[in-house]
């Protein structure tokens, strides 16, 4: 190490433990002087960086940690409460949606009250059927099947029509509910072993109850196509 | 929890003053520096379990401070290149003679004018007491690059000090 390297070392790290550096510091006068000047500069540099920290620094650190801890815990508690509440809300909503609506309940109750499906021996004339529907401002445009029973009856919101149509697979019970508007176009449900469907119409809705899905599939479009609100 | 608190205090509790000084020269603002140190301790508390080598605790927390500065504070730091622009009145750790005080202020003024690539290694060396190898690790650069930057930083400060002293004497 020569004098210039020594000076370079002073500007890089004057507190180096390099033996050669310290030997020169002690033996070479120029190096010793440079070292002395460097030490004076380092003292000034240390003082320049040496500012006094705020007296409350440690307290503020502890306070920040304590506050943050409390805030984190509060947030966690709120999060747990919100999760429980939302879970409850979701479970309740699912449960509520699975519950039968008032129309389904009415149909189920009506079916339960009938010990036997009322049926005449002969089919009822189409004119007679049209006459009953006309009272509800509804026109029957074509044959709607072999009607074996038709009568006005109580339905949710007002009077409607109770009708039984005979099919090759057995009777199908139909309720026309002119004052009942459904939230969906179609709601499938079951009453004991029977299949039931609520269908939204131009005016009101229809409830069709049958023993099999095939019967429903046959009757539903026929009624939708032939019943017209006037 | 108590055990963690004891470990935390023993490892880094005593470093708050040095961290504050380092933070102050990074932020050039007392309030921001205080916030930065508090954030650093919060981060360190949360991450204490990730500290594998307890001997490296000092490097670790300085590293956290630098990262927090880059993450949260760097954009908030106002451009300050002179002691006159500094809103905070620097309070010295030791009482000084008037001449010494003038020299120290000249060096402080020159530090504020240094580019971060020169001032940061110097701060880590003088305030943090880190070796060139440790600074290289902290900054993610080579040891020789650190030595070059330290050399240039001190040269710039000495040049500024000499120039200002000459002007002072001439006046």
């Amino acid at each position: 190490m020569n004098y210039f390297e020594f000076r370079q070392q002073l500007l890089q790290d004057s507190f180096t433990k390099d033996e050669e550096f310290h030997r020169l510091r002690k033996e070479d006068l120029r190096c010793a002087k440079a070292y002395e000047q460097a030490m004076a500069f380092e003292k000034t540099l240390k003082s320049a960086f040496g500012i006094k920290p705020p007296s409350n620094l440690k307290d503020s650190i502890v306070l920040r940690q304590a506050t943050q801890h409390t805030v984190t815990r509060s947030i966690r508690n709120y999060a747990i409460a919100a999760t429980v509440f939302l879970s409850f809300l979701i479970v309740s909503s699912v449960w509520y949606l699975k519950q039968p609506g008032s129309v389904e309940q009415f149909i189920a109750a009506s079916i339960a009250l009938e010990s036997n499906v009322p049926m005449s021996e002969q089919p009822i004339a189409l004119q007679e059927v049209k006459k009953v529907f006309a009272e509800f401002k509804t026109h029957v445009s074509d044959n709607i099947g072999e009607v074996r029973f038709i009568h006005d009856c109580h339905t949710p919101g007002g009077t409607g029509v109770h009708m039984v149509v005979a099919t090759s697979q057995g009777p199908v019970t139909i309720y026309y509910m002119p004052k009942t508007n459904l939230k969906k176009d179609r709601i499938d449900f079951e009453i004991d072993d029977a299949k039931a469907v609520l269908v939204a119409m131009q005016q009101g809705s229809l409830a069709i109850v049958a023993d099999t899905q095939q019967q429903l599939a046959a009757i539903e479009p026929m009624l939708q196509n032939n019943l017209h609100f006037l | 929890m108590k055990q963690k608190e004891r470990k935390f205090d023993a490892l880094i509790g005593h470093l708050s003053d040095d961290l504050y000084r380092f933070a102050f020269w990074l932020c050039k603002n007392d309030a921001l520096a205080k916030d930065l140190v508090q954030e650093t301790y919060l981060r360190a508390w949360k991450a204490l379990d990730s500290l594998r080598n307890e001997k490296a605790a000092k490097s670790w927390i300085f590293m956290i401070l630098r990262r927090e500065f880059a993450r949260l504070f760097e954009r908030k730091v106002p451009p300050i290149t002179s002691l006159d622009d500094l809103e905070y009145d620097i309070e010295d750790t030791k009482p000084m003679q008037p001449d010494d005080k003038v020299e120290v202020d000249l060096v402080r003024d020159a530090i504020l004018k240094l580019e971060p690539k020169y001032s940061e290694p110097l701060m880590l060396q003088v305030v943090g007491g880190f070796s060139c190898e440790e600074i290289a690790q902290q900054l993610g650069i080579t040891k020789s690059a650190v030595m070059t930057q330290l050399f240039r930083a001190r040269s710039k400060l000495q040049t500024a000090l000499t120039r200002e002293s000459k002007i002072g004497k001439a006046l």
Side-chain angles (χ1 to χ4, degrees):
Chain A
M1 183 182 279
N2 59 32
Y3 174 66
F4 293 102
E5 286 168 337
F6 182 86
R7 288 200 62 174
Q8 191 176 19
Q9 180 64 52
L10 281 176
L11 287 170
Q12 288 165 346
D13 181 11
S14 51
F15 298 98
T16 179
K17 287 172 184 167
D18 186 80
E19 286 178 10
E20 178 69 0
F21 174 84
H22 287 285
R23 188 187 61 77
L24 277 174
R25 175 174 72 82
K26 288 172 189 164
E27 293 173 4
D28 187 308
L29 279 176
R30 281 197 307 171
C31 289
K33 197 178 175 192
Y35 182 79
E36 199 181 318
Q37 285 171 344
M39 285 298 112
F41 177 73
E42 286 303 315
K43 194 181 162 194
T44 307
L45 190 58
K46 186 91 180 161
S47 299
F49 279 119
I51 55 162
K52 200 172 178 182
S55 54
N56 61 349
L57 180 66
K58 286 189 172 73
D59 292 339
S60 66
I61 292 167
V62 173
L63 182 69
R64 178 73 157 262
Q65 280 181 308
T67 319
Q68 178 71 18
H69 193 59
T70 314
V71 169
T72 311
R73 204 163 50 190
S74 306
I75 291 170
R76 197 182 303 139
N77 289 344
Y78 280 124
I80 291 169
T83 308
V84 169
F85 176 72
L86 281 174
S87 307
F88 174 75
L89 208 66
I90 291 165
V91 170
S92 304
S93 303
V94 170
W95 178 82
Y96 177 78
L97 289 173
K98 282 192 173 177
Q99 294 306 301
S102 56
V103 183
E104 291 102 300
Q105 282 175 340
F106 165 78
I107 301 297
S110 301
I111 298 293
L113 285 172
E114 285 178 2
S115 51
N116 291 304
V117 179
M119 287 181 80
S120 60
E121 284 185 9
Q122 295 299 318
I124 295 166
L126 183 60
Q127 284 305 316
E128 197 65 30
V129 174
K130 282 185 176 182
K131 201 173 148 188
V132 174
F133 274 100
E135 287 176 35
F136 302 98
K137 295 180 181 172
T138 302
H139 172 69
V140 180
S141 64
D142 206 346
N143 196 336
I144 54 170
E146 202 176 286
V147 179
R148 291 294 187 98
F149 176 84
I150 187 160
H151 208 278
D152 53 1
C153 71
H154 169 73
T155 62
T159 310
V161 179
H162 177 196
M163 182 167 78
V164 176
V165 175
T167 69
S168 57
Q169 291 173 299
V172 176
T173 303
I174 295 148
Y175 287 92
Y176 175 54
M177 302 169 284
K179 302 284 183 188
T180 304
N181 294 311
L182 300 176
K183 287 176 187 167
K184 294 181 186 173
D185 287 342
R186 189 189 156 82
I187 300 169
D188 284 291
F189 63 107
E190 290 189 3
I191 304 168
D192 296 331
D193 294 333
K195 312 285 176 197
V197 62
L198 291 174
V199 185
M201 300 292 281
Q202 188 188 358
Q203 173 71 26
S205 56
L206 278 176
I208 310 168
V209 184
D211 289 335
T212 65
Q213 201 67 45
Q214 287 87 341
Q215 285 173 294
L216 287 185
I219 294 278
E220 189 186 325
M222 189 170 73
L223 292 171
Q224 275 182 316
N225 293 334
N226 292 310
L227 292 177
H228 303 285
F229 180 70
L230 298 170
Chain B
M1 184 65 90
K2 285 278 172 202
Q3 198 183 351
K4 186 179 176 182
E5 276 175 28
R6 275 199 293 273
K7 182 182 171 186
F8 188 75
D9 282 342
L11 289 175
I12 52 178
H14 61 288
L15 295 173
S16 61
D17 286 356
D18 284 345
L19 283 167
Y20 171 80
R21 285 185 196 105
F22 185 62
F24 178 84
W25 289 106
L26 275 179
C27 300
K28 300 176 181 84
N29 179 296
D30 170 52
L32 281 181
K34 224 167 122 177
D35 263 6
L36 178 54
V37 174
Q38 289 169 359
E39 282 298 321
T40 302
Y41 270 98
L42 260 184
R43 282 266 153 193
W45 172 259
K46 287 176 187 169
L48 188 64
D49 296 335
S50 68
L51 175 65
R52 295 278 170 262
N53 179 10
E54 293 186 359
K55 285 178 185 168
K58 190 176 174 182
S59 288
W60 177 70
I61 196 161
F62 268 79
M63 184 93 84
I64 292 175
L65 190 140
R66 286 185 56 253
R67 282 182 186 160
E68 284 301 291
F69 173 71
R71 195 171 71 89
L72 298 171
F73 294 85
E74 204 163 14
R75 279 168 288 172
K76 296 179 189 172
V77 173
I80 289 176
T81 53
S82 163
L83 273 184
D84 298 333
D85 301 332
L86 214 58
E87 284 178 17
Y88 178 62
D89 188 19
I90 293 175
E91 199 180 340
D92 293 302
T93 46
K94 290 174 191 168
M96 279 183 269
Q97 295 295 319
D99 282 357
D100 293 341
K101 174 79 178 143
V102 170
E103 271 202 1
V104 165
D105 279 348
L106 287 174
V107 173
R108 277 179 184 154
D109 204 48
I111 290 170
L112 289 172
K113 288 183 174 72
L114 281 181
E115 290 172 59
K117 67 173 177 178
Y118 298 128
S119 61
E120 227 174 302
L122 191 65
M123 286 192 285
L124 285 167
Q125 192 183 49
V126 180
V127 179
F130 292 108
S131 67
C132 291
E133 286 91 346
E134 288 169 323
I135 296 168
Q137 266 190 341
Q138 288 252 350
L139 301 178
I141 54 178
T142 61
K143 186 187 166 186
S144 62
V146 170
M147 290 170 87
T148 305
Q149 286 169 0
L150 287 170
F151 175 86
R152 286 184 185 160
R154 279 194 175 83
S155 298
K156 282 170 187 278
L157 295 183
Q158 285 185 351
T159 306
L161 188 60
T162 312
R163 189 179 58 232
E164 295 295 330
S165 299
K166 279 179 185 169
I167 293 169
K169 278 175 189 168
L171 290 172

